[in-house]
Amino acid sequence: MDKLSNLAKFKATCPYLGRTKTSTLRTLCTSASPRFPTVSKLTEKATKCPVMGPALQIRSKQMVAGYASLAGSAEFAKIPEHQGIKPSAAHAQKCPHASKALAAARMAEEFAHAKKAKSSPKATAASTSAAAAKPAPAAATGCPFHAASTSEAKPKAASVGGFDYEKFYAEELEKKHQDASYRYFNNINRLANKFPIAHTGNVKDEVEVWCANDYLGMGNNPVVLETMHRTLDTYGHGAGGTRNIAGNTGMHLALEEELASLHRKPAALVFSSCYVANDATLATLGSKLPGCVYFSDSMNHASMIQGMRHSGAKRVIFKHNDLEDLEMKLAQYPKETPKIIAFESVYSMCGSVGPIKEICDLAEQYGALTFLDEVHAVGLYGPRGAGVAEHLDYDVHKAAGQSPDPIKGTIMDRIDIITGTLGKAYGAVGGYIAGSTDFVDMIRSYASGFIFTTSLPPANMAGARASISYQKEYNGDRQLKQLNVRDLKSRFEALDIPVIPGPSHIVPVLVGDAALARHASDTLLAKHNVYVQAINYPTVARGEERLRFTVTPGHNVEQIARLARAVDQTFTELGIKRTSDWRKLGGHAGVGLADPKEVEPIWSDAQLGLLDGTAPAVLHPGQKRVVDQRAVRVTREKFNDLLGPYVESAAPTDVLKKELPLADPTLAASIPAAVEATA
């Protein structure tokens, strides 16, 4: 992130850099131009500047001329031949001189195209016309960075007497900027072979990812990737349509059977995401059940809120995890009135856990259905990864093994409807519901969010099923993740970093100010190569803005220690309140309370293997994660019917390749052409 640090030095001298937010500059300098891929969006903007534009043109000529003279020399061409090597065009990238020559040539070409686009007759005419209509100040003439950009396309003017749509859009966006809730999307590309490392818009600019919801790193698990490759080769890419037209494959049916077995329910149904699953299911139930009343936890996810709204049913909101408030509101309705209590197991922004057993008790007492969102829990809790509802009867479910049959009296069996995601701990994409056979069939038959959308591709379904199967068989990833979570929380506590207390794997660090949270995120990325997103309103309440860290089993002890130091330095540099500061103010968002309640983690020491010595070993730099071979074998066998038995890949055979001289036509022609283009 050195580029961003260098830009900060010129904020005082360049009006554009000075008035543009650091987060916006970060996005521009790490994102490739869609029209000119070898340059960043910021560089493309700079070509329009009367100062930087000519400078960039001169520099590109120098680069091309330098490499062109070298690449074109006879001595240069003889270097590989002297060693008895006859390189092909494909090998040109391995040579630092040839690869830089190609890159310089491409960049110069694109600078030239950008320059031509800027000075095209149409653009020039438009600029001249605009200048004639409204003269610009002398100092700002021709420079889009000293005043409102006259060279950029103007929004379509509203028709006389008509509504000004563009003005409306701009005003709504300005509101987001004013309250610091505008969302910036970082270009983060997680690397399968370097998890949890990613690169930004620049492939050489690597950062550590500390906020991804791929909680277990299953997005790069070998048996998952292997299964997806095999499925892709067998069934191709797309699903071919909706489930009732051409998109109902064996992979979809097998995944739903796997999910039903995971939760020990009779049936399950897969959706394109859990947002859609929650929205479609709650909308359908509320609209079909006569006089239905929803009882919704105040911190429920947006997908659940939206589904209840779409249903048209009455919605009663109870205080977060407040059983007394919930019972008081349930008691106001006759027992025969259809009621649904909608809540979550793990609340992802604060890390709190719902009182599942107690809510089941109230539901039975007052005649309500229970709708439990286990999105941030599936894969992470329970001996098989079925979620918190399974974890609460840990030993019973562990003893039952992989039986798909319900275990009467257990909390998971008492829950009527369970929803979950394939896109977090399982590292895939999609969402699902699980419940009784008739309930699932009714949603399948009536929910428009399921009926009228293209189904997910077979390869995605196969990858998700492989991930679930693997995690059902191997508990080590869950245990190691929780050990790493404990490590990070204890380090933060020792440094007076304000972690919002909770028993789950979520590590939310309170900042308490939207702009400051964004600044902290930018600083960690720019100075420490740590990527963690700021969480602002409306995801959390105003004044409770935070950084939300997610630790995985793939983070090693050195990375965890380095993160703690980076956060400590950032808090000091930006003057962010620490736990002791919040305590002096009487506490806030559960941080710094005068008499805090002790929070017991969901995973006990015994369940983590700390008491009997079976806990997995933490990773140290250079060590690779454990891949459980038994879980791999069981998972492979599940795909025998559709993909056939797995066969170890044979050693790749040598393929005769046509060798080309270094002076490949592409390389030879591109450099002179680029030199000419910049002339």
Side-chain angles (χ1 to χ4, degrees), residues 31 151 190 231 372 504 519 635:
S31 303
S151 63
R190 298 186 307 128
T231 306
L372 177 63
S504 71
H519 195 180
T635 299

Side-chain angles (χ1 to χ4, degrees), residues 47 79 233 252 257 303 407 535 585 657 664 669:
T47 61
I79 292 173
D233 290 340
H252 291 78
E257 184 179 349
S303 59
I407 303 174
I535 307 297
L585 296 172
K657 295 182 179 179
D664 169 63

Side-chain angles (χ1 to χ4, degrees), residues 343-362:
F343 63 111
E344 301 181 37
S345 58
V346 175
Y347 291 84
S348 64
M349 290 302 137
C350 62
S352 61
V353 174
I356 304 175
K357 176 185 179 299
E358 292 78 4
I359 288 179
C360 286
D361 294 340
L362 289 176

Side-chain angles (χ1 to χ4, degrees), residues 182-320:
Y182 183 81
R183 295 173 186 257
Y184 295 92
F185 294 167
N186 290 311
N187 186 348
I188 299 294
N189 307 272
R190 298 186 307 128
L191 296 167
N193 294 326
K194 289 187 176 182
F195 182 87
I197 303 299
H199 70 72
T200 63
N202 178 355
V203 296
K204 296 181 180 179
D205 187 11
E206 294 187 349
V207 298
E208 288 178 8
V209 179
W210 285 97
C211 59
N213 286 335
D214 186 0
Y215 291 130
L216 298 175
M218 290 302 292
N220 58 31
N221 179 278
V223 74
V224 171
L225 298 184
E226 164 197 298
T227 304
M228 293 183 74
H229 281 297
R230 294 176 67 202
T231 306
L232 194 62
D233 290 340
T234 304
Y235 295 110
H237 179 209
T242 61
R243 288 286 292 270
N244 72 313
I245 293 179
N248 189 47
T249 73
M251 289 297 180
H252 291 78
L253 299 175
L255 174 58
E256 288 169 346
E257 184 179 349
E258 191 79 54
L259 288 165
S261 171
L262 173 69
H263 293 288
R264 305 193 202 273
K265 296 290 185 186
L269 190 67
V270 172
F271 291 77
S272 55
S273 74
C274 199
Y275 188 105
V276 176
N278 283 346
D279 183 8
T281 301
L282 290 169
T284 302
L285 276 176
S287 63
K288 289 295 180 183
L289 287 170
C292 177
V293 180
Y294 278 114
F295 294 83
S296 174
D297 188 287
S298 62
M299 289 187 67
N300 273 342
H301 189 263
S303 59
M304 300 168 72
I305 295 169
Q306 200 74 344
M308 289 181 267
R309 285 175 176 166
H310 286 161
S311 73
K314 184 172 182 177
R315 182 165 59 105
V316 177
I317 300 172
F318 62 93
K319 298 174 185 176
H320 177 54

Side-chain angles (χ1 to χ4, degrees), residues 195 213-224 227 255 258-259 261-264 377-387 390-391 394 397-398 401-402 421-428 432 462-482 552-554 603 616 625-636 638-639:
F195 182 87
N213 286 335
D214 186 0
Y215 291 130
L216 298 175
M218 290 302 292
N220 58 31
N221 179 278
V223 74
V224 171
T227 304
L255 174 58
E258 191 79 54
L259 288 165
S261 171
L262 173 69
H263 293 288
R264 305 193 202 273
V378 289
L380 301 176
Y381 298 92
R384 297 154 60 251
E390 181 189 50
H391 199 98
Y394 190 96
H397 284 287
K398 184 178 180 180
Q402 301 302 342
T421 184
L422 306 171
K424 292 183 170 59
Y426 293 127
Y432 64 89
R465 184 188 176 201
S467 182
I468 295 166
S469 171
Y470 180 90
Q471 285 300 328
K472 282 168 71 175
E473 300 291 338
Y474 180 56
N475 207 22
D477 285 342
R478 281 185 285 285
Q479 292 172 315
L480 182 52
K481 176 181 175 63
Q482 296 295 332
T552 75
W603 280 84
R625 289 178 57 190
V626 171
V627 177
D628 188 77
Q629 293 306 309
R630 190 189 67 82
V632 168
R633 185 176 65 255
V634 170
T635 299
R636 284 173 174 167
K638 290 184 177 182
F639 291 87

